[in-house]
Amino acid sequence: MSAVFPTVREVLALDPVRHGAPRVVAGDDGLDRPVRWVHVAEVPDIATLLGGGELVLTTGIGLPADDAGLRAFIGDLADVGVSGLVVELGRRYLSGVPRVMAAAADRRGLPLVELRRATPFVRITEAVHALIVDAQLTELRATEEIHQRFNDLSVEGADTAEVIRQAAELSGCPVVLENLSRQVLGYDPAGESAELLLDGWEQHSRRIRPAGRTAYDLDSGWLVTTVGARGQDWGRLLLRWPASGDVPSAQAGEPTNGPPTRLTILIERAASTLALGRLIRRDAEGLERQIHRTLLTALLDHSRPVDEVGLRAKALGVVLDRRHLVGVMVRHRADDAAGEISPEAAQARLRDLAEAVGQAVREAKLTALTSAVDDHSVGALLALPDPAAEDRALSAFASALHRVRLDAGTGRASTAGVDPARGAGPAAVIVAAGSGVGSLREARRSLVEARQIAEAARRDRRDLPIFRLPHVGLAGLLHLLRDEPRLQTFVERELGTLLEYDARHPREQLLDTLRAYLEQGRNKSAAAAAAHLSRPAFYERLARIARILDVDLDSVEAALSLHVALLALEAVRAP
C-alpha cells in the first residue's frame, strides 16, 4: 500500500522537477522520506516556520555566505525534520552548491538536490500538492469503503474467519487474531506462507508490545489493537505492515513511520466487528424454544430480573418458584472445530440434540426449561418437588435421553457395545449436572457448574451416565475455564515475565525448570534429577527464576499460585 504522502524520490520523477534537470548531491539514503508539503524559502532562518515533512525550494540568494552559516542552515533544517532541500542553480550558485553545504547535508542524511536548469517553483508546488490531495482523496475513499464493508459484515453477522479475511483483503497484509494468552484464534496470511506466519507465534507475539490500545510496534512491524466489548477485553488483532516486514527506519520529524491512517481505522473497525459478532447469537428455533432459551440465557447472563424469569416461565407452564432446581448440560463429547462437518450441519446436530433433550424431559415426566445455550451445549433447568427426588430424576432423564437418541437413529455406536449417551463413540454425548439449589436466585450457580463439568468431562474417558462436580479435578476445572479472560490474565500476571524471558532466551526455557521444581513437590534434588541438571546448575536457575518473577520460591503460598498458573497455562495451550 502506498502512503498518503509522496516520497522525495517520487517528487523528483514529476515532469516539472525533471524539467529542471535535478541531481542529488547528498543524502541519497533519505530519498524515501514522505513529503508532506512544499515550501519556497529565501531566508536563512526559515526552519523556525516549518513543522517537519516539508520539501524546501530555494535559489539560495538569501543564504549565508560563510561556511559556518551554511552548516547552521542545514543543521536547522535537519533538526526540524524537513524531507529535503532543492536548490535552483543560476542566481546564487552557478556551477553547483558549495561543498560545505553538501557535506553538511550528507552528514545529517538530508537529501540535497540541485536543479541545473531554471524552473518555475509554482509548477513544482502545484504538481506536488495535487499529488498529495489526490492521495488524500484516495485515502478518504478507502476509509469510506472500510466503514461500509465492516458495517455490512456486522449487519450480516459474519463469522470470525470472514471478518479476518476481509481485513486481510482490504489491507493486503497478514492479519492474526489471538486471545490474551497469545493463542491464535484465527488468521489470514494474505497470500504469504501461513507456516512462516504462525511459526513460534506465542514467543513472537510476546515480543510485540505496542504502547496503547491501538498502536504500531515499529520494531516488529505489527499494528495491534485490543479486542473486547462491554469493558471486557478478550484478545488482540494484529496486522503486519509492510507485508515484507521491512519497516523503514525512523527519521526525525517525519509525520509517521507507521502504516497509513486507513490501516489503523481498518484494524479498529475489524476489532469492533469481531467484538460485536461475539455478542450476537442467531438461531432458527421455534417461538417457545426461543423463550426457553431467553430465560435460560437470562439466568446465565443476569440479563433479566430473576422474578421476571420466574413469572415468564410460569406462564409457559414451567413453575420454578418453591422448587428444588438442578442445572443440567448435555453436549457432544467431540467438537466440530476440526472442520469435519459444515457449520450448517453442526447447527442441525445441535438442534437435534436440543429436541432429544426436550423429549427426554417429557418422557421422564419432568418439568424443566430446555434449550441450546451456546454453540455446543443444550441446557436444562429441572424443577423438582424436593431434594430427595434429585438422584432419581437425573437417572430417569439420562436413561430417557439414551432411549430417545437410539430411537432417533443416532445410536449406531451401541451395536458395538458403546452407549451413545455415555460412550466414547463419535455420537457420544456427555450429561453433566450441577449441585441442586433451593431458589431461582441460585439457579445460575447450578447451570454454570453443570456447563463447567460438561466441558471438563470431555477430557475424562470414564463411562459415567451423569458427571457431577466430584468427578472434576483441578486440571479439569482449569481446562474448562481456559477461554475465560480472567484466567488468562491470572496466567499472564503470574508467569508473563518468565514467558517473555524464555521468548528472548529460547535455549534456557526456565519455565520447564520451574515446572520440574513444582511437580517434584519443591524437592530440589529430585527436581534437578528430573530436569537432567546438576544441582548447582538447577539451584542457579531457580535463583534466576525467583529474580525474574520477584517471588520467594520457598513460600508455600507463592509456589501454589505458580503451580496453578502452570496448570492453567497448559489448559490454555491445549487444543
Side-chain angles (χ1 to χ4, degrees):
M1 271 192 171
S2 61
V4 175
F5 301 109
T7 64
V8 176
R9 192 186 307 277
E10 290 170 336
V11 170
L12 296 181
L14 295 174
D15 288 341
V17 182
R18 292 174 60 192
H19 175 77
R23 183 169 72 95
V24 180
V25 297
D28 300 59
D29 293 341
L31 292 178
D32 290 320
R33 292 184 180 184
V35 176
R36 184 176 60 84
W37 206 244
V38 177
H39 196 87
V40 179
E42 298 295 353
V43 293
D45 58 350
I46 187 61
T48 59
L49 305 178
L50 302 178
E54 298 90 351
L55 181 66
V56 178
L57 308 181
T58 183
T59 63
I61 57 176
L63 297 186
D66 59 302
D67 291 353
L70 288 176
R71 292 192 191 96
F73 173 70
I74 294 296
D76 291 343
L77 293 181
D79 289 341
V80 80
V82 300
S83 299
L85 175 64
V86 178
V87 181
E88 182 189 77
L89 304 181
R91 299 196 181 187
R92 174 67 182 275
Y93 308 119
L94 299 179
S95 59
V97 298
R99 292 183 178 178
V100 65
M101 180 186 289
D106 212 31
R107 188 164 50 252
R108 297 299 300 270
L110 177 69
L112 176 59
V113 181
E114 295 176 342
L115 293 181
R116 291 167 291 173
R117 196 160 49 224
T119 302
F121 284 171
V122 66
R123 294 181 183 175
I124 297 177
T125 57
E126 286 177 345
V128 176
H129 294 168
L131 198 63
I132 293 173
V133 171
D134 286 346
Q136 290 175 331
L137 182 59
T138 300
E139 185 86 354
L140 179 60
R141 288 171 177 165
T143 300
E144 290 177 350
E145 182 183 358
I146 289 168
H147 285 296
Q148 185 60 50
R149 186 81 64 92
F150 286 106
N151 281 341
D152 292 344
L153 291 173
S154 297
V155 171
E156 294 168 1
D159 61 17
T160 298
E162 179 63 14
V163 174
I164 295 173
R165 188 189 72 79
Q166 293 280 3
E169 179 181 300
L170 286 171
S171 64
C173 303
V175 177
V176 177
L177 174 66
E178 65 176 17
N179 63 16
L180 297 180
S181 290
R182 311 299 197 266
Q183 306 299 305
V184 176
L185 303 177
Y187 68 93
D188 190 304
E192 297 187 22
S193 168
E195 293 182 0
L196 292 178
L197 177 68
L198 301 180
D199 183 42
W201 175 260
E202 181 182 343
Q203 290 185 341
H204 177 63
S205 174
R206 291 184 184 280
R207 293 192 289 266
I208 303 173
R209 305 175 67 182
R213 190 171 180 85
T214 299
Y216 181 65
D217 184 55
L218 185 63
D219 293 335
S220 64
W222 284 91
L223 176 63
V224 186
T225 192
T226 303
V227 185
R230 294 179 177 174
Q232 187 176 47
D233 298 333
W234 52 266
R236 297 197 308 175
L237 189 64
L238 302 94
L239 182 150
R240 192 173 71 195
W241 184 92
S244 64
D246 298 326
V247 182
S249 59
Q251 299 288 349
E254 289 185 3
T256 178
N257 285 302
T261 303
R262 64 179 171 276
L263 288 191
T264 300
I265 295 173
L266 182 149
I267 196 172
E268 289 182 339
R269 289 291 286 114
S272 298
T273 303
L274 289 168
L276 180 61
R278 187 167 169 136
L279 299 176
I280 297 174
R281 296 184 180 184
R282 300 178 301 169
D283 208 311
E285 300 169 333
L287 180 58
E288 182 178 345
R289 190 60 55 204
Q290 287 185 37
I291 297 175
H292 275 243
R293 181 167 187 167
T294 297
L295 297 180
L296 281 176
T297 302
L299 291 173
L300 286 167
D301 299 344
H302 295 302
S303 56
R304 293 176 184 269
V306 172
D307 292 341
E308 180 184 339
V309 173
L311 186 62
R312 294 190 64 180
K314 185 176 181 180
L316 284 173
V318 181
V319 179
L320 301 176
D321 293 328
R322 299 180 181 179
R323 295 292 189 272
H324 182 72
L325 305 175
V326 181
V328 175
M329 289 288 167
V330 182
R331 62 162 298 150
H332 289 93
R333 188 179 288 274
D335 271 344
D336 311 318
E340 296 177 356
I341 63 176
S342 66
E344 293 78 11
Q347 285 297 316
R349 190 173 78 155
L350 184 64
R351 285 194 296 271
D352 290 343
L353 183 60
E355 289 296 328
V357 169
Q359 187 175 344
V361 167
R362 292 189 293 271
E363 289 196 7
K365 295 181 171 50
L366 299 172
T367 300
L369 290 175
T370 66
S371 172
V373 293
D374 54 39
D375 291 339
H376 304 289
S377 304
V378 176
L381 182 62
L382 304 183
L384 308 176
D386 55 66
E390 181 176 315
D391 291 340
R392 184 174 64 254
L394 289 173
S395 295
F397 169 74
S399 298
L401 180 61
H402 179 200
R403 290 193 303 272
V404 168
R405 298 187 73 242
L406 280 175
D407 293 342
T410 58
R412 292 187 299 272
S414 63
T415 60
V418 179
D419 184 343
R422 303 192 297 268
V429 298
I430 294 168
V431 180
S435 302
V437 296
S439 71
L440 187 56
R441 296 188 182 280
E442 300 175 282
R444 179 181 184 275
R445 174 166 60 84
S446 184
L447 287 167
V448 170
E449 184 178 298
R451 182 155 60 183
Q452 293 173 339
I453 294 169
E455 177 66 22
R458 294 175 58 224
R459 298 164 63 90
D460 195 316
R461 296 292 96 187
R462 286 177 293 178
D463 182 16
L464 299 176
I466 301 174
F467 282 87
R468 305 300 298 268
L469 188 59
H471 301 134
V472 180
L474 176 59
L477 179 64
L478 294 174
H479 173 77
L480 61 91
L481 294 175
R482 67 189 184 280
D483 293 326
E484 169 60 49
R486 284 172 292 187
L487 180 66
Q488 297 172 6
T489 300
F490 168 72
V491 172
E492 291 300 307
R493 184 175 65 247
E494 293 294 314
L495 299 173
T497 53
L498 187 61
L499 291 169
E500 290 171 4
Y501 180 90
D502 278 355
R504 295 193 304 269
H505 306 85
R507 293 186 177 181
E508 296 188 35
Q509 294 303 305
L510 295 182
L511 189 72
D512 292 338
T513 303
L514 178 62
R515 181 181 291 108
Y517 173 67
L518 296 175
E519 288 180 349
Q520 296 297 322
R522 297 188 298 129
N523 184 320
K524 296 180 181 178
S525 298
H532 304 291
L533 292 171
S534 66
R535 280 188 289 181
F538 189 82
Y539 296 165
E540 191 278 330
R541 285 194 173 200
L542 285 182
R544 200 180 321 157
I545 291 170
R547 290 195 301 272
I548 293 170
L549 295 177
D550 192 24
V551 297
D552 179 9
L553 293 178
D554 292 327
S555 165
V556 174
E557 183 178 352
L560 176 60
S561 182
L562 290 173
H563 204 169
V564 172
L566 274 172
L567 291 174
L569 178 64
E570 292 173 359
V572 167
R573 287 175 169 175

